[in-house]
Amino acid sequence: MESWNQTSTDTVRSHVPEEVNKRIDEHVERCVRHMAQQERPEISRYLKKLEREWDLNRAVMVVGSLAAVLGLWLARRDGRGWQIFGGTAAGLLLQHGLFGFGPLAELVRAVGGVRTRREIDLEKFALKALRGDFERIPKNDGGPLARANAALVAAQS
């Protein structure tokens, strides 16, 4: 499946190395291909799992906040040098909030493979299409691979 993910204008995707985006896209493709061979109840179970998945913004806020609190706590306990750590974390959170992206987001995405809300939603829409929620996806024409490709393309539109 070539270039089904047309989110190139996404700020996060444009600032992260292409290998990271490719790894995340390949994971989505594998999941959708696998789900194309499953029955509706299994697809529904997986959709519920996706509903609970943390997106990049949430993960960055948690990681950044934990780092800031840890810096404050260590500064109080072990000396003022740790204030720089906490202040840097707070600054990275501010940058992420203002610009929608920053080094902390790149780190969380690269290390944890955390996806943006849009990427998670694309997978959800593709799976809903496979489940039969939309009319644009062929029921049995072309097999599971063709259905998975059609679902990914439909999720983009």
Side-chain angles (χ1 to χ4, degrees), residues 77-99:
R77 196 180 121 221
D78 293 335
R80 295 177 55 101
W82 284 103
Q83 286 179 335
I84 295 171
F85 179 77
T88 301
L92 290 173
L93 280 173
L94 177 63
Q95 180 185 18
H96 183 80
L98 291 173
F99 301 111

Side-chain angles (χ1 to χ4, degrees), residues 82-136:
W82 284 103
Q83 286 179 335
I84 295 171
F85 179 77
T88 301
L92 290 173
L93 280 173
L94 177 63
Q95 180 185 18
H96 183 80
L98 291 173
F99 301 111
F101 189 76
L104 190 55
E106 185 174 348
L107 177 68
V108 169
R109 185 164 168 90
V111 172
V114 180
R115 301 186 288 171
T116 65
R117 174 55 41 201
R118 180 178 165 118
E119 290 168 330
I120 295 167
D121 287 344
L122 284 173
E123 183 176 0
K124 285 172 30 182
F125 288 128
L127 294 175
K128 287 178 181 184
L130 285 176
R131 189 173 62 177
D133 294 4
F134 311 118
E135 294 179 7
R136 293 179 64 182

